[in-house]
């Protein structure tokens, strides 16, 4: 198959959690390649604290 | 001078460095002089990995494909750091992030949306954290998971 025979599609999602981009290549209506890049915007926070003696 | 009730900021950092064993139950008998090996396993959106997860399991994991093998790729952590904080507990944050992107090449997997970071050295492969993202399908391609900025606001794992 020639690269010129492929249909390229791209997409993006950007929200509070991630910024994700992807690229797809389609050949005669069939998905033949999909790559994605997920960029996490933040991790996880855990709270620790010391309590009173009662 | 005055005493202030607080969880010591250094304690949060020292937890990540394995300096404390508050109780003998479940503590592995070993001498720690180098960092443990950690891995990042990818899971299907149909799996159940969350705060109750105790360790790595192959249940619900994406299949072997391309550069991805069971258990996931090895990852390393940036040296944990902490903000200066103050005499009170609230303003110090200890944080760390994986040192590099998690990347899998020549890979195919359908509908996966989570990565489990776990300790591959210690018996039971104890879990660290589960991170979720929009469900992805990769077809003969590359999946790249880029880490957030390593600071006290966005670091991958933060103790406050």
């Amino acid at each position: 198959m020639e690269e010129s025979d492929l249909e390229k599609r791209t997409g993006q999602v950007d929200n509070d959690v991630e910024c994700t981009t992807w690229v797809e290549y389609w050949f005669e209506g069939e998905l033949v390649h999909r790559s994605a890049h997920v960029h996490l915007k933040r991790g996880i926070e855990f709270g620790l604290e010391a309590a009173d003696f009662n | 001078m005055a005493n202030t009730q607080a969880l010591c900021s250094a304690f949060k950092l020292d937890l990540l460095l394995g300096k404390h064993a508050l109780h003998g139950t479940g503590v592995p008998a070993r001498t720690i002089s180098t960092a443990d090996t950690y891995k990042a396993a990818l899971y299907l959106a149909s799996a159940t990995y969350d705060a109750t997860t105790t360790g790595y399991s192959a249940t619900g994991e994406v299949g072997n494909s391309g550069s991805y093998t069971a258990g996931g790729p090895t990852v390393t952590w940036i040296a944990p750091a902490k903000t200066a904080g103050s005499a009170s507990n609230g303003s110090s944050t200890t944080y760390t992030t994986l040192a590099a992107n998690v990347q899998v090449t020549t890979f195919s997997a359908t509908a996966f949306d989570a990565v489990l970071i776990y300790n591959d050295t210690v018996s039971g492969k104890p879990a660290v954290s589960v991170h979720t993202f929009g469900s992805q399908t990769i077809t003969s391609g590359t999946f790249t998971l880029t880490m957030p900025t390593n600071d006290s606001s966005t670091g991958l794992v933060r103790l406050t």
Side-chain angles (χ1 to χ4, degrees):
Chain A
M1 113 193 22
E2 301 290 332
E3 186 170 348
S4 59
D5 296 330
L6 301 175
E7 176 191 357
K8 181 180 179 180
R9 302 179 190 175
T10 61
Q12 178 179 338
V13 166
D14 193 346
N15 55 40
D16 291 343
V17 175
E18 64 189 88
C19 178
T20 295
T21 59
W22 62 86
V23 59
E24 301 173 350
Y25 288 94
W26 294 75
F27 178 68
E28 296 182 351
E30 179 182 351
L31 179 65
V32 295
H33 174 95
R34 188 178 194 274
S35 290
H37 183 168
V38 175
H39 180 182
L40 295 176
K41 290 188 173 180
R42 65 172 58 85
I44 302 171
E45 188 168 288
F46 307 87
L48 302 176
E49 60 183 71
D52 295 325
F53 287 110
N54 292 317
Chain B
M1 300 297 288
N3 296 308
T4 306
Q5 174 166 294
L7 189 70
C8 298
S9 299
F11 177 67
K12 302 173 191 176
L13 179 61
D14 291 344
L15 279 176
L16 299 183
L17 297 175
K19 290 187 179 181
H20 292 281
L22 273 62
H23 196 278
T25 300
V27 177
R30 64 188 185 127
T31 300
I32 301 174
S33 59
T34 59
D36 292 336
T37 296
Y38 288 83
K39 290 191 173 182
L42 298 175
Y43 289 94
L44 303 175
S46 58
T48 304
Y49 288 84
D50 52 29
T52 65
T53 299
T54 57
Y56 165 77
S57 168
T59 301
E61 185 180 8
V62 300
N64 291 354
S65 172
S67 67
Y68 190 92
T69 57
T74 298
V75 296
T76 57
W77 294 94
I78 296 171
K82 65 179 180 68
T83 57
S86 68
S88 65
N89 187 42
S91 60
S92 171
T93 298
T94 295
Y95 57 94
T96 181
T97 303
L98 297 185
N101 299 339
V102 175
Q103 187 171 77
V104 188
T105 59
T106 321
F107 178 59
S108 292
T110 300
F112 61 96
D113 72 350
V115 58
L116 169 70
I117 312 298
Y118 66 95
N119 186 322
D120 193 49
T121 299
V122 174
S123 174
K125 302 186 187 296
V128 175
S129 55
V130 176
H131 304 271
T132 59
F133 42 85
S135 181
Q136 295 299 321
T137 292
I138 304 296
T139 303
S140 303
T142 298
F143 174 69
T144 304
L145 184 64
T146 298
M147 294 297 112
T149 300
N150 185 42
D151 63 26
S152 59
S153 298
T154 60
L156 194 68
V157 174
R158 304 189 305 279
L159 305 182
T160 63

